[in-house]
Amino acid sequence: MCFVTVDTRLKRKLLFICLAIAVTAVLAVVLSFCISDSPENAGRSFDLKETGGVSGFLSQFSLNFQSQVSSRELTLPSKDDEILLEYQKLQSQIGLNILKFSGKRVEERYLKLKNKNSSGQRLYAVIYIYNEEVIAAHLTTLQEGAQITAFV
């Protein structure tokens, strides 16, 4: 019989190296979750400076900008506002969280698109901007009673 004996100091060094590798791996996984964008936003930018403006932002969603219809500044309601909470559900589909901007002064833009919906109606994009970053966006036909839809 042959027994291999390992020095206690060597065991400690090997254990320390294994522990260091494990801790490094766990930290790398945790940091990747903290730093990376949501999967819905992979490869997309919501910063208008990076996209070259609203036209570049819209093109990420295969939407074609035609013209700006209107623009205004408004203050978003509080986080407990029922309409804002409902709107957040729609925004979460594209990985946005408008609730973070509750109570802030933002710009609302209505943009006419070249795109049309499945019924052949003209589409408009409504985007909310805070410090040159899109914080919320949806599509509409501007028809009375029309549903709004998320960017997809």
Side-chain angles (χ1 to χ4, degrees):
M1 287 188 160
C2 183
F3 290 101
V4 176
T5 60
V6 180
D7 184 18
T8 306
R9 284 183 269 165
L10 183 58
K11 282 183 185 179
R12 286 182 187 156
K13 285 181 183 179
L14 288 173
L15 182 61
F16 178 76
I17 291 170
C18 290
L19 184 61
I21 291 170
V23 167
T24 303
V26 168
L27 284 175
V29 170
V30 169
L31 283 175
S32 72
F33 282 117
C34 293
I35 294 172
S36 69
D37 287 334
S38 65
E40 298 90 357
N41 294 341
R44 294 186 180 148
S45 175
F46 293 87
D47 186 332
L48 294 178
K49 290 178 259 173
E50 288 179 11
T51 62
V54 292
S55 182
F57 168 74
L58 294 169
S59 69
Q60 298 176 108
F61 299 91
S62 300
L63 298 169
N64 301 310
F65 173 76
Q66 184 171 336
S67 63
Q68 182 169 308
V69 177
S70 69
S71 174
R72 68 178 178 156
E73 287 200 8
L74 57 92
T75 302
L76 291 175
S78 65
K79 288 182 181 182
D80 59 352
D81 181 83
E82 287 182 35
I83 295 171
L84 189 65
L85 289 169
E86 194 64 33
Y87 190 61
Q88 172 54 32
K89 290 177 187 174
L90 180 73
Q91 294 309 300
S92 66
Q93 293 177 19
I94 58 171
L96 293 174
N97 183 2
I98 194 168
L99 295 177
K100 291 188 331 185
F101 301 92
S102 294
K104 301 263 191 236
R105 192 114 179 109
V106 301
E107 181 184 4
E108 176 187 60
R109 291 187 194 173
Y110 282 79
L111 309 169
K112 186 176 185 179
L113 304 177
K114 294 177 183 174
N115 306 71
K116 295 185 178 185
N117 68 9
S118 58
S119 303
Q121 295 174 307
R122 169 83 53 204
L123 283 175
Y124 295 82
V126 181
I127 62 173
Y128 295 89
I129 301 166
Y130 183 77
N131 290 338
E132 291 299 309
E133 184 173 338
V134 176
I135 61 168
H138 68 270
L139 298 174
T140 182
T141 60
L142 293 182
Q143 302 295 319
E144 188 175 334
Q147 294 288 338
I148 62 173
T149 57
F151 282 35
V152 286

